[in-house]
Amino acid sequence: MVKLYKANVPYTELKRAVLDQEKELLREAETPRERLHIQQLTAKLLITEAYGEDAGWAEFGPLLRRCERLGYADITHRLHVACLYVQSLHRFSTKARQAFDLLADVERRLKRIPRSHSLRKEGMQSIAHARAVAAAAGFTPAT
């Protein structure tokens, strides 16, 4: 994987390699929980790469649904996906309501964490940044 990143390969080639690696790791996994975790991490990596490639809804949408279907490994995973979704709205504006709903859900979850906890602080900063990026593109939670 590191070689692929360094070689700056196209997204489609990277995606194929990640999915091949996932299959290999799934064969080696010993428990259903371990298999699920591998799939969750793969989904997070692929949606991150799709975002970086400015993928349209045809690519991003199924990856988002896969993340939702598999569940999120932890709050940081959920936060990451929600922020990418909101920051991508300039590519699929009809999905603004769903994106902001997901972001609001993550925000509610973060607010359950004590104020002094670094995860809450960093998460709220990430949410503010995602909202600012969306606002700069003309999207607000009310749209």
Side-chain angles (χ1 to χ4, degrees), residues 39 43-44 47 56-72 77 81 85 92 95 98 102:
Q39 291 174 315
K44 180 182 176 185
I47 202 164
W57 187 251
E59 180 67 28
F60 195 88
L63 293 172
L64 179 64
R65 284 190 297 279
R66 183 175 190 222
C67 287
E68 291 170 346
R69 180 176 45 82
L70 293 170
Y72 299 96
H77 181 186
V81 171
Y85 193 11
F92 24 88
K95 304 297 180 183
Q98 295 93 333
L102 182 58

Side-chain angles (χ1 to χ4, degrees), residues 91-110:
R91 287 180 269 152
F92 24 88
S93 59
T94 60
K95 304 297 180 183
R97 183 180 181 118
Q98 295 93 333
F100 282 113
D101 286 350
L102 182 58
L103 196 66
D105 176 60
V106 174
E107 185 174 29
R108 279 190 298 277
R109 292 169 189 268
L110 282 173

